[in-house]
């Protein structure tokens, strides 16, 4: 079969930027991703004064793009950084204290609250946002062992938390979260509504997974009907069906990243879907590989599409918003590697690699248009 790679520029006056959280270097590096050939070029290094990761990108009230980054060395803090719409460069906007060392940060679908999960502290926190800046009060909730990811569903109805130490996903009702500025009784000092229970826990787990699996990261299908979970300790992917009304999850199938009886100790890391939902990718650190699956949009089930050796210890990767490129970070190689994604087969074709700061542990990608 003739395989054709199409790497055309998507539109005029648009640029794509990659943000690498370099934990040991205590920097966030900015790279421009060439949309015609996938090459990476260095733009900026920003010193953040701490072991940085995780990150997430959102928009402020004026629809400007903002990068959130957490530091995992004391004092724990959340950095809010404006993204320049032309250059992709970062400028510090605010620094806000965090209640603990956070392994994951995320915004709800409406971008009204910021969530954080503390792996070592066995807790999650919730903070309302005002013009993209977290403000008090902070709600802190004790969880099971080692929460690794916290994310709201596409409908903004439930918040899910993966508990790596307890082999399960818990979930919380999001509908009752109070948004800043809504009409109701407010505290005179903060302007926020009085509500002592903003994120009530559902009484039972969303799902309990096999003993010793260690659910780490997860991603929703675009329609919210399915959830894909990568298990760090078993190097497996769990395909889960989701009841949107109740929030409950049901196991549909399991896929092993490593071959049966492999001598490699499982140490799986990251998982993500292409924006069109056609392909799912996962990384495994001890095999130094990326794995691809085709996705059946109706059933949610997966079909193997290939695997590729990549940078050493690939903890994090991200897919460009147009779905044409994947960029992976090698924690032990201190490099980024970019790939073109074949739109029909899901095959990855390396386009470039470049040095970044020490211990790159998180990747974010944004597409900026010059309006």
């Amino acid at each position: 079969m003739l395989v054709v790679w199409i790497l055309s520029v998507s539109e005029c006056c648009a640029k794509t930027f990659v943000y690498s959280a370099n934990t040991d270097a205590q920097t966030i590096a900015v790279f421009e991703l060439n949309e015609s050939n996938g090459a990476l070029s260095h733009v900026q290094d920003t010193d953040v004064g701490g072991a940085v990761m995780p990150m997430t990108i959102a928009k402020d009230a004026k629809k400007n793009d903002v990068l959130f980054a957490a530091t995992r060395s004391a004092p724990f803090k959340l950095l809010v950084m404006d993204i320049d719409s032309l250059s992709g460069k970062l400028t510090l906007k605010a620094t806000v204290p965090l209640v603990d060392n956070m392994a994951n940060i995320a915004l709800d679908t409406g971008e009204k609250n910021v969530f954080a999960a503390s792996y070592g502290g066995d807790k999650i926190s919730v903070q309302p946002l005002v013009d993209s800046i977290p403000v008090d009060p902070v709600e802190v909730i004790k969880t099971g062992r080692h929460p690794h990811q916290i994310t709201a569903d596409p409908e903004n109805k439930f918040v899910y938390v993966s508990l790596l130490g307890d082999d399960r996903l818990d979930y919380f009702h999001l509908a009752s979260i109070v948004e800043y500025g809504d009409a109701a009784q407010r505290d005179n000092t903060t302007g926020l509504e009085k509500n002592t229970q903003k994120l009530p826990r559902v009484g039972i787990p969303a799902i309990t997974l096999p003993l010793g699996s260690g659910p780490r990261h997860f991603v929703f299908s675009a329609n919210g009907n399915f959830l894909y979970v990568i298990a760090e300790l078993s190097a497996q992917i769990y395909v889960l069906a989701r009841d949107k009304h109740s929030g409950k999850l049901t196991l549909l199938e399991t896929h092993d990243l490593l071959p049966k009886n492999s001598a490699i100790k499982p140490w799986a890391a990251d998982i993500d879907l292409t924006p069109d939902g056609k392909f799912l990718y996962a990384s495994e650190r001890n095999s130094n590989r990326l794995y691809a699956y085709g996705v059946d949009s109706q059933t949610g089930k997966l079909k193997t599409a290939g695997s590729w050796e990549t940078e050493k210890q690939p903890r994090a990767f991200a897919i460009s918003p147009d779905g044409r490129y994947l960029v992976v970070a090698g924690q032990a190689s201190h490099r980024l590697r970019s790939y073109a994604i074949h739109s029909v087969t899901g095959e990855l074709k390396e386009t470039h690699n470049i040095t970044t700061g020490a211990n790159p542990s998180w990747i974010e990608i944004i597409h900026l248009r010059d309006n």
Side-chain angles (χ1 to χ4, degrees):
M1 179 181 70
L2 178 64
V3 177
V4 179
W5 294 86
I6 300 175
L7 299 176
S8 60
V9 178
S10 57
E11 70 242 17
C12 176
C13 307
K15 293 183 178 181
T16 298
F17 293 94
V18 176
Y19 298 87
S20 171
N22 304 317
T23 303
D24 290 350
Q26 301 188 4
T27 64
I28 299 174
V30 183
F31 299 86
E32 184 174 350
L33 176 65
N34 188 305
E35 297 187 0
S36 64
N37 60 20
L40 295 164
S41 56
H42 183 258
V43 174
Q44 180 193 36
D45 285 318
T46 299
D47 189 342
V48 298
V52 60
M53 60 118 349
M55 303 189 299
T56 192
I57 292 176
K59 289 186 179 294
D60 63 17
K62 297 179 181 178
K63 304 302 180 182
N64 297 314
D65 295 295
V66 178
L67 179 81
F68 294 81
T71 60
R72 301 191 68 180
S73 52
F76 308 120
K77 55 190 177 183
L78 182 65
L79 308 174
V80 184
M81 311 184 84
D82 286 325
I83 299 174
D84 185 88
S85 61
L86 296 178
S87 69
K89 290 182 178 181
L90 300 174
T91 303
L92 183 64
K93 182 174 184 176
T95 301
V96 180
L98 288 171
V99 298
D100 210 329
N101 179 346
M102 297 302 186
N104 185 238
I105 55 174
L107 275 64
D108 66 289
T109 308
E111 299 187 346
K112 300 293 186 181
N113 302 274
V114 62
F115 306 126
S118 174
Y119 180 91
D122 298 336
K123 63 174 72 80
I124 59 173
S125 66
V126 187
Q127 249 177 302
L129 293 169
V130 178
D131 189 24
S132 78
I133 307 298
V135 297
D136 288 338
V138 181
E139 182 182 15
V140 180
I141 302 171
K142 191 70 176 175
T143 65
R145 294 183 300 157
H146 303 327
H148 212 301
Q149 180 175 335
I150 179 168
T151 302
D153 66 22
E155 295 79 31
N156 227 30
K157 184 176 180 181
F158 296 103
V159 174
Y160 291 80
V161 179
S162 58
L163 295 170
L164 189 147
D166 287 334
D167 303 313
R168 71 175 195 259
L169 270 71
D170 281 359
Y171 62 142
F172 299 77
H173 288 289
L174 178 57
S176 63
I177 280 190
V178 177
E179 296 182 1
Y180 182 88
D182 284 355
Q185 184 181 12
R186 295 184 176 88
D187 185 296
N188 290 330
T189 59
T190 65
L192 293 169
E193 295 177 6
K194 294 179 180 179
N195 190 333
T196 58
Q197 186 63 29
K198 297 189 292 296
L199 197 65
R201 187 195 310 265
V202 180
I204 56 176
I207 193 169
T208 298
L209 295 169
L211 183 65
S213 57
R216 177 184 171 88
H217 287 178
F218 57 89
V219 61
F220 291 93
S221 62
N223 60 14
N225 291 332
F226 305 102
L227 195 66
Y228 301 92
V229 180
I230 190 165
E232 177 175 329
L233 305 181
S234 65
Q236 292 176 313
I237 294 176
Y238 299 114
V239 180
L240 311 178
R242 190 173 76 96
D243 184 316
K244 292 183 181 180
H245 176 72
S246 68
K248 283 286 291 181
L249 303 171
T250 304
L251 180 62
L252 293 179
E253 60 179 9
T254 302
H255 292 265
D256 295 301
L257 296 179
L258 299 174
K260 295 292 185 182
N261 304 316
S262 172
I264 297 172
K265 181 180 179 180
W267 197 23
D270 211 357
I271 189 168
D272 204 0
L273 284 163
T274 53
D276 61 10
K278 288 176 60 177
F279 300 105
L280 180 138
Y281 296 88
S283 65
E284 204 288 323
R285 285 171 282 190
N286 277 337
S287 63
N288 304 316
R289 297 189 75 83
L290 293 168
Y291 298 81
Y293 296 86
V295 181
D296 186 312
S297 61
Q298 298 300 312
T299 67
K301 293 185 176 182
L302 305 179
K303 184 177 181 180
T304 300
S307 72
W308 300 267
E309 187 173 2
T310 188
E311 295 293 330
K312 189 174 181 181
Q313 204 169 303
R315 185 191 187 281
F317 68 88
I319 296 169
S320 63
D322 60 11
R324 298 190 302 133
Y325 293 103
L326 181 151
V327 179
V328 62
Q331 275 189 295
S333 68
H334 315 300
R335 298 184 68 82
L336 305 183
R337 188 181 299 197
S338 59
Y339 295 88
I341 300 173
H342 195 283
S343 62
V344 177
T345 67
E347 180 185 353
L348 296 180
K349 180 179 180 180
E350 183 181 349
T351 57
H352 195 234
N353 65 81
I354 192 170
T355 300
T356 187
N359 190 9
S361 301
W362 201 279
I363 298 290
E364 292 289 336
I365 305 179
I366 190 171
H367 185 71
L368 298 175
R369 291 193 178 117
D370 180 9
N371 295 322

